[in-house]
């Protein structure tokens, strides 16, 4: 079945254009990373390539090449900042695959063996909860340089 084409009215395209705010963790020429507002665990970060694509299936391989090392760098910082025991990296494709926002993104979710993953696109976190976590991740990224 053919997927619909990329539509730049999606919420991540609006965040990339600066039309909607986000809690930014990292930005360079290739990606913007920010806190997920409905985190599946504390420290849940989304890494969004600036090159538009609906998901992995229509992505430019060059954009994927730039994405992978940035996901790795941010994942290491998230793990260090939160003292996580591990990480779950998620990437959903098409509604049947669980995708809800149709601009490619990678989820970085810190994990602890005793903590259950919360529901995908579940409960909205308060900014006062997210901001101190974001600050810790930004500090860990600065230390990694
Ligand atoms: P997916 O199902 O992979 O498309 O996931 C979309 C993710 O984006 C979910 O985890 C949502 O919690 C998250 N999300 C939706 N809107 C926003 C937003 N405005 N800022 C940050 N995260 C968002």
């Amino acid at each position: 079945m053919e997927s619909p084409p990329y539509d730049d009215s999606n919420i991540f395209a609006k965040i990339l254009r600066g039309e909607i705010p986000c809690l930014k963790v990292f930005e360079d020429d290739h990606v913007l990373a920010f806190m997920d507002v409905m985190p599946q665990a504390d420290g849940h970060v989304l890494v969004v390539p600036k090159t538009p694509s609906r998901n992995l299936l229509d992505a430019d391989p060059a954009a994927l090449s730039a994405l992978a090392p940035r996901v790795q760098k941010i994942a290491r910082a998230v793990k260090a900042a939160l003292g996580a025991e591990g990480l779950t990296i998620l990437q959903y494709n098409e509604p049947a695959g669980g995708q809800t926002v149709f601009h490619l993104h990678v989820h970085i979710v810190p994990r602890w063996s005793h903590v259950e993953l919360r529901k995908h696109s579940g409960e909205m976190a308060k900014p006062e909860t997210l901001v101190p976590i974001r600050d810790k991740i930004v500090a860990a990224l600065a230390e990694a340089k």
Side-chain angles (χ1 to χ4, degrees):
M1 203 168 95
E2 190 92 350
S3 298
Y6 179 79
D7 175 355
D8 74 359
S9 66
N10 72 79
I11 197 152
F12 292 169
K14 289 180 182 169
I15 289 174
L16 286 170
R17 290 195 295 268
E19 295 166 11
I20 287 181
C22 70
L23 281 175
K24 183 158 78 173
V25 165
F26 175 85
E27 183 170 16
D28 68 5
D29 289 347
H30 296 279
V31 303
L32 175 65
F34 49 87
M35 301 307 294
D36 193 304
V37 288
M38 290 171 264
Q40 289 187 253
D42 292 348
H44 183 166
V45 169
L46 300 171
V47 187
V48 181
K50 291 189 173 178
T51 303
S53 73
R54 183 171 161 86
N55 53 42
L56 183 81
L57 303 171
D58 61 334
D60 179 349
L64 297 177
S65 297
L67 178 61
R70 287 163 176 83
V71 169
Q72 182 189 47
K73 174 190 169 108
I74 298 163
R76 285 174 172 162
V78 168
K79 186 171 181 292
L82 277 292
E85 295 169 12
L87 296 163
T88 298
I89 307 294
L90 294 156
Q91 192 276 313
Y92 300 86
N93 297 277
E94 298 301 328
Q99 187 176 9
T100 59
V101 177
F102 298 96
H103 181 116
L104 175 62
H105 54 281
V106 175
H107 299 253
I108 298 172
V109 187
R111 301 300 305 273
W112 297 265
S113 50
H114 61 287
V115 179
E116 287 280 315
L117 210 58
R118 295 196 286 264
K119 201 170 159 297
H120 178 55
S121 292
E123 212 168 304
M124 188 81 88
K126 294 192 174 76
E128 54 266 37
T129 309
L130 293 179
V131 167
I133 296 174
R134 186 275 306 270
D135 292 348
K136 279 188 194 174
I137 298 169
V138 169
L141 274 167
E143 254 179 49
K145 271 183 194 160

